[in-house]
Amino acid sequence: MRIHLTSVFVDDQAKAHAFYTDVLGFVTKHDVPLGTDRWLTVVSPEEPDGTELLLEPSSHPAVKPYKDALVEDGIPAASFAVTDLQAEYDRLTGLGVRFTQQPLESGPVVTAVLDDTCGNLIQLLQYK
């Protein structure tokens, strides 16, 4: 068994697509129109057949309170691995990305948390 797909709820799929591809560097895997929404997934360019991230619309009434509670408590909706967290932090802050947590060593990992501009906190993680 392996993880094939996971998702983050996003306030605006077009805005999320731009952020996750143009800023974070993921590539589009699937973009299928479904009425007013899209089946929109991205993958790492390093693993084009790897786990897909679904940029899922936040339209269900249960989503907003869930997302708001996570953000208020500083809990990331997803975690992405990087090989050099400081370099990625520097690159993303240079692009104007807002971090809610600067790089922080925590035992065997270094983490940082960013705002994806779509209602989520996203953790970047580097194993030391």
Side-chain angles (χ1 to χ4, degrees), residues 11-83:
D11 299 337
D12 179 320
Q13 284 188 300
K15 182 178 176 183
H17 185 248
F19 184 82
Y20 279 80
T21 57
D22 298 342
V23 177
L24 294 184
F26 291 108
V27 295
T28 305
K29 179 76 174 190
H30 296 286
D31 188 354
V32 180
L34 295 172
T36 58
D37 297 321
R38 299 149 59 188
W39 182 260
L40 180 57
T41 68
V42 295
V43 294
S44 168
E46 299 165 11
E47 295 182 5
D49 294 322
T51 305
E52 295 177 48
L53 179 67
L54 173 64
L55 304 176
E56 188 161 3
S58 296
S59 55
H60 190 281
V63 173
K64 183 168 178 20
Y66 167 74
K67 285 175 59 178
D68 289 349
L70 291 179
V71 170
E72 185 172 321
D73 288 348
I75 299 171
S79 182
F80 304 141
V82 297
T83 55

Side-chain angles (χ1 to χ4, degrees), residues 60-114:
H60 190 281
V63 173
K64 183 168 178 20
Y66 167 74
K67 285 175 59 178
D68 289 349
L70 291 179
V71 170
E72 185 172 321
D73 288 348
I75 299 171
S79 182
F80 304 141
V82 297
T83 55
D84 184 339
L85 182 61
Q86 187 62 53
E88 199 63 29
Y89 176 83
D90 293 343
R91 181 185 78 82
L92 292 172
T93 54
L95 293 172
V97 173
R98 184 178 75 86
F99 278 80
T100 61
Q101 178 198 303
Q102 296 182 351
L104 176 68
E105 292 197 24
S106 300
V109 298
V110 182
T111 62
V113 178
L114 62 86

